[in-house]
């Protein structure tokens, strides 16, 4: 695969490790990146791994992934449940996207049950913690191959 896969992380995910560990576990964002990098290497994929607390920056990166990436994995954090801008950005790019959540959003508060992103995601992986990012890479590789 020539082009890299973008893995984008939204607000507050920079605090993983200390943020509500009973919900999100003890691994840091750096740990997640290391997991993803190792998995990607084994799959022969390149990754670009980023995090931002800013909705606009995530929009810019989705657009960049559309130009320069083979696919996209996104954990949009709380913007999942609020952001028409992220939905529009994902609708505007021609690459497969997989939505990831560490926690099982359907087992949590009602406001987390709706995702703007699921509408345009190829699939959703949620509730498996950090391995969810590795599952998403496998799923994305299959999706890119069959596209
Ligand atoms: C999250 C779930 C969201 O509801 C929450 O706002 C997050 C993290 C997850 O990975 O479980 O910030 O996307």
């Amino acid at each position: 695969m020539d082009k890299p896969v973008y893995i984008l992380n939204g607000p507050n995910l920079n605090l993983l490790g200390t943020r509500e560990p009973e919900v999100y576990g003890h691994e840091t964002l750096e740990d997640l990146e290391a997991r993803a990098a190792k998995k990607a290497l084994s799959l022969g994929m390149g990754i670009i791994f980023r995090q931002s607390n800013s909705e606009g920056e995530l929009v810019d990166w989705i657009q960049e992934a559309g130009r320069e990436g083979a696919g996209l994995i996104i954990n949009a954090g709380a913007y999942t449940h609020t952001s028409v801008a992220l939905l529009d950005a994902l609708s505007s790019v021609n690459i497969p996207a997989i939505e990831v959540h560490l926690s099982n959003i359907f087992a949590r508060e009602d406001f987390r049950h709706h995702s703007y992103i699921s509408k345009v995601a190829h699939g959703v992986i949620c509730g498996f913690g950090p391995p969810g990012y590795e599952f998403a890479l496998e799923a994305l590789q299959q999706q890119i191959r069959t596209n």
Side-chain angles (χ1 to χ4, degrees):
M1 204 176 295
D2 292 344
K3 291 180 164 183
V5 162
Y6 280 66
I7 304 179
L8 303 182
N9 296 280
N12 300 306
L13 292 169
N14 55 314
L15 299 179
L16 284 176
T18 55
R19 174 193 182 198
E20 299 180 85
E22 66 286 0
V23 177
Y24 299 113
H26 293 279
E27 288 191 30
T28 65
L29 192 66
E30 288 71 28
D31 295 333
L32 260 61
E33 180 171 6
R35 266 179 185 272
K38 193 172 169 201
K39 183 72 184 180
L41 193 65
S42 78
L43 294 170
M45 302 163 87
I47 59 163
I48 291 178
F49 190 98
R50 293 184 187 156
Q51 186 276 333
S52 179
N53 293 325
S54 151
E55 189 176 9
E57 193 159 39
L58 291 164
V59 168
D60 288 341
W61 290 345
I62 291 168
Q63 293 181 6
E64 181 186 319
R67 290 188 306 271
E68 293 168 30
L72 175 65
I73 293 167
I74 183 162
N75 181 351
Y79 293 143
T80 305
H81 317 297
T82 62
S83 180
V84 177
L86 291 186
L87 167 64
D88 284 352
L90 287 166
S91 305
S92 306
V93 296
N94 248 335
I95 51 170
I98 297 197
E99 175 180 352
V100 171
H101 300 285
L102 295 162
S103 63
N104 178 357
I105 56 175
F106 300 104
R108 301 182 63 194
E109 302 96 323
D110 285 353
F111 65 83
R112 294 187 204 274
H113 298 179
H114 176 260
S115 162
Y116 280 96
I117 290 169
S118 302
K119 208 171 166 42
V120 288
H122 176 69
V124 183
I125 294 171
C126 85
F128 294 100
Y133 283 71
E134 296 165 72
F135 303 154
L137 276 166
E138 283 187 30
L140 194 55
Q141 187 181 54
Q142 295 216 6
Q143 184 57 22
I144 292 165
R145 276 196 181 141
T146 54
N147 247 356

